[in-house]
Amino acid sequence: MANSNIHQQQQQLHFLLIPLMSQSHIIPLTDFAKLLALRGVDVTIITTPLNAIRYRPIIDRAKSLNLKIQLAALEFPNREAGLPECCENMDSLTSLDQGHSFLEANEMIKAPLEKLMQELVPRPSCIVSTNALVWTNEVAQKFKIPRYVFHTISCFTIVCTLKISENKMHESVASDTDSFLVPDMPHKIEFKRSQLPEWLGEKSDDKKHIMNKMKDTEHLARGVLVNSCEEMEPGYFEEYKKQRSRVWAIGPTLLCNKENLDKYDRGNKSCIDEYQCLKWLDSMKPCSVIYACFGSLSHIPSPQLIQFGLGLEASNRPFIWIIRKNDHSAETETWLEVNKFEERVKGRGLIIRGWAPQVLILSHPSVGGFFTHCGWNSTLEGVCAGVPMITLPLFGEQIFNEKFVVDVLKVGVRIGLMSEKLATSEQVKDAIEELIDGEEAGERRERAKEVAELAKKAVEEGGSSHTNITMFIQDVMHATSPSQ
């Protein structure tokens, strides 16, 4: 009888998921929504009209499997926030300097969200929102429901940031080029002051204020969800648990996508046909293809893109090179045409302009290396595919992810930091050779496969992430029971 009551209470739960309107937040939270819906609960994802168009195919497929999941699109106040027309996602920003205005626009949906919450049936049981949306804490308090923070970064990054902020070791080094050791870490982790994200710098009061507000508001939340798994970063998960009473590692959430169609549609409409992409990959030898992609928020200047292209060509290996919309310029296109680049690499080089089905590509047996900017989504996608990586971070927490990939997991080869200096074609070529044929290449590939297996087991029934989702649902039930 008790089990029947628990099951009935669980079926009445309604999870309200609110991402920052950025691919790096929407994608993992949408995957998490599917994982929750598979447990038989109601899930509503808050989005905007243009983002809803992107994600509708994924949600429609989930609903066709009788999952109780829906999108609720709220008008996005881009004009009121001084943002470009049709800008409803961070990948539509013309400059990352508009980030503050974009955060303000996200907060402006608070009033229409509250109106929607009064109309939703069943009534929302909790709010799960990504860490940037500090204002959702006020909404949760108003409706007397718990709020949980969903971290789109790793425990390693969280712990690293805490240690550096608390100990201020970066302030004691003589210059930006001097290295310092992050104290009390399970691994030897070193940084130069110049490598640190802006929010840890001394001249970034505005960003520091935003980050401090996120940190303070996180402690007001009932609990924290991290898109990672305990087995992948055990020491850092345990260290983070010392900071918070309720922390659940529930990922990698991307592993809920089992079918090729789910992998193909994940994130946006691809600029290449699924069949064409798979046919090209099928024609290549196992573990031979280098896949190069640098995220949806990258703004890579044409001279750097040209060096990437020349390095990929000089490697004499098959490759897929993604040139995202933000980086696709007239200058780059002219260089490609004048130098007949695509003719020169015909048969072994595939260039995709725009969005690519990254998970589908990385999971193909012919892919042997991932040349990446180290965004956490991309890092997890590489890890879960068991593909070793070439790392070239651009900014922010990507720098921490690079340390995690190379120094902790030991599945990567680093080139450097893109903001410090131009990565040359020779460096790209050398990194590819080291990744594929270097002395440690075989061991690196084996480690990559082992980490991928750990991640897959974590999300299966009985695995740590699967169990943690159960514990999270039980915590929501406890927090919303009449006796509380």
Side-chain angles (χ1 to χ4, degrees):
M1 188 68 177
N3 286 341
S4 175
N5 289 337
I6 290 171
H7 181 67
Q8 188 177 6
Q9 187 184 350
Q10 180 170 315
Q11 285 188 317
Q12 293 170 350
L13 293 177
H14 185 179
F15 292 76
L16 192 63
L17 274 52
I18 313 174
L20 175 71
M21 298 302 155
S22 168
Q23 297 293 73
S24 61
H25 289 232
I26 298 172
I27 291 173
L29 208 61
T30 301
D31 288 338
F32 184 53
K34 289 164 66 176
L35 288 168
L36 287 173
L38 285 166
R39 303 297 184 97
V41 302
D42 281 81
V43 185
T44 297
I45 307 169
I46 299 300
T47 188
T48 67
L50 290 180
N51 285 308
I53 292 169
R54 290 186 183 189
Y55 289 89
R56 185 73 63 193
I58 297 169
I59 301 305
D60 286 347
R61 270 201 302 282
K63 289 170 78 171
S64 73
L65 298 173
N66 296 319
L67 299 183
K68 295 184 288 185
I69 186 170
Q70 64 176 342
L71 294 172
L74 302 176
E75 291 298 323
F76 193 72
N78 42 4
R79 290 182 186 175
E80 294 91 323
L83 294 168
E85 194 74 24
C86 298
C87 176
E88 297 182 12
N89 192 298
M90 282 193 80
D91 65 5
S92 301
L93 297 179
T94 53
S95 166
L96 288 179
D97 293 336
Q98 297 169 327
H100 188 70
S101 298
F102 191 80
L103 280 176
E104 289 178 346
N106 277 260
E107 187 166 357
M108 288 179 192
I109 68 170
K110 181 180 173 184
L113 171 66
E114 290 178 349
K115 183 176 183 295
L116 172 72
M117 287 176 67
Q118 290 170 343
E119 299 166 355
L120 284 173
V121 179
R123 179 178 179 271
S125 308
C126 70
I127 286 174
V128 178
S129 58
T130 48
N131 56 315
L133 304 182
V134 296
W135 54 271
T136 56
N137 206 67
E138 296 170 16
V139 177
Q141 288 175 344
K142 180 176 179 178
F143 284 82
K144 295 182 172 57
I145 57 175
R147 180 224 175 188
Y148 298 84
V149 173
F150 185 97
H151 271 306
T152 57
I153 55 179
S154 65
C155 291
F156 174 84
T157 293
I158 296 167
V159 171
C160 234
T161 303
L162 285 170
K163 297 291 185 186
I164 294 171
S165 300
E166 289 169 0
N167 293 280
K168 301 189 185 301
M169 300 298 295
H170 57 301
E171 295 178 11
S172 64
V173 293
S175 73
D176 282 354
T177 56
D178 288 338
S179 296
F180 66 91
L181 193 67
V182 183
D184 305 320
M185 296 282 278
H187 298 82
K188 183 180 178 182
I189 304 296
E190 287 183 302
F191 284 97
K192 294 176 184 175
R193 194 163 62 194
S194 61
Q195 295 173 326
L196 294 178
E198 286 182 329
W199 67 78
L200 285 169
E202 298 170 13
K203 301 175 183 177
S204 182
D205 291 338
D206 188 45
K207 287 186 172 66
K208 269 187 178 179
H209 173 72
I210 293 170
M211 295 303 294
N212 286 334
K213 195 173 180 182
M214 288 182 198
K215 183 181 173 184
D216 294 341
T217 310
E218 180 183 311
H219 283 279
L220 297 173
R222 182 173 172 89
V224 177
L225 302 156
V226 185
N227 188 20
S228 183
C229 64
E230 297 176 23
E231 292 84 351
M232 193 163 67
E233 41 177 347
Y236 302 99
F237 176 74
E238 291 303 321
E239 192 65 34
Y240 186 33
K241 279 185 74 175
K242 294 176 185 176
Q243 308 289 328
R244 290 299 315 255
S245 57
R246 295 183 184 91
V247 178
W248 299 282
I250 46 76
T253 61
L254 72 98
L255 289 171
C256 71
N257 299 291
K258 309 290 187 187
E259 305 298 325
N260 275 354
L261 198 55
D262 291 322
K263 296 175 184 178
Y264 176 74
D265 274 338
R266 188 171 177 267
N268 207 343
K269 184 173 176 58
S270 295
C271 296
I272 185 170
D273 177 77
E274 176 195 358
Y275 174 74
Q276 180 189 352
C277 184
L278 291 175
K279 185 181 177 183
W280 189 91
L281 286 165
D282 287 343
S283 70
M284 299 298 163
K285 293 178 181 177
C287 298
S288 66
V289 176
I290 300 297
Y291 173 70
C293 183
F294 299 92
S296 56
L297 295 182
S298 63
H299 290 275
I300 302 173
S302 186
Q304 181 62 88
L305 283 173
I306 290 168
Q307 290 300 309
F308 288 165
L310 290 171
L312 289 165
E313 180 186 21
S315 73
N316 286 320
R317 298 188 177 279
F319 64 86
I320 297 177
W321 179 20
I322 313 303
I323 303 178
R324 288 278 168 86
K325 180 180 69 174
N326 290 342
D327 302 323
H328 188 240
S329 65
E331 185 181 350
T332 302
E333 197 60 40
T334 299
W335 178 82
L336 290 168
E337 290 177 11
V338 168
N339 290 276
K340 296 182 170 52
F341 183 83
E342 287 178 275
E343 287 181 35
R344 295 203 314 245
V345 298
K346 190 174 181 180
R348 71 173 180 90
L350 178 64
I351 299 176
I352 301 175
R353 296 163 175 84
W355 191 268
Q358 185 158 291
V359 172
L360 185 68
I361 291 170
L362 286 171
S363 60
H364 195 280
S366 70
V367 175
F370 181 16
F371 186 15
T372 175
H373 68 303
C374 299
W376 187 236
N377 274 359
S378 290
T379 300
L380 284 177
E381 287 162 5
V383 164
C384 290
V387 176
M389 295 173 240
I390 296 167
T391 63
L392 188 62
L394 283 83
F395 57 83
E397 49 97 15
Q398 297 167 12
I399 299 155
F400 290 108
N401 296 336
E402 186 225 32
K403 296 284 184 185
F404 182 64
V405 167
V406 178
D407 299 330
V408 178
L409 296 182
K410 299 187 185 301
V411 297
V413 171
R414 65 166 47 96
I415 290 181
L417 182 59
M418 204 183 298
S419 61
E420 289 187 331
K421 61 181 180 179
L422 193 78
T424 66
S425 60
E426 191 68 23
Q427 286 177 306
V428 172
K429 173 179 171 286
D430 289 347
I432 292 171
E433 287 179 353
E434 184 180 345
L435 190 81
I436 303 298
D437 291 323
E439 285 184 20
E440 298 178 12
E443 291 177 24
R444 196 181 293 113
R445 273 194 296 273
E446 283 306 309
R447 278 196 297 271
K449 289 175 184 176
E450 287 168 8
V451 177
E453 196 58 34
L454 287 176
K456 287 168 186 170
K457 285 181 178 177
V459 300
E460 292 171 358
E461 190 165 352
S464 62
S465 293
H466 188 276
T467 301
N468 283 337
I469 292 175
T470 302
M471 291 171 67
F472 162 61
I473 293 171
Q474 289 172 345
D475 190 77
V476 176
M477 289 168 61
H478 179 72
T480 56
S481 65
S483 61
Q484 291 302 303

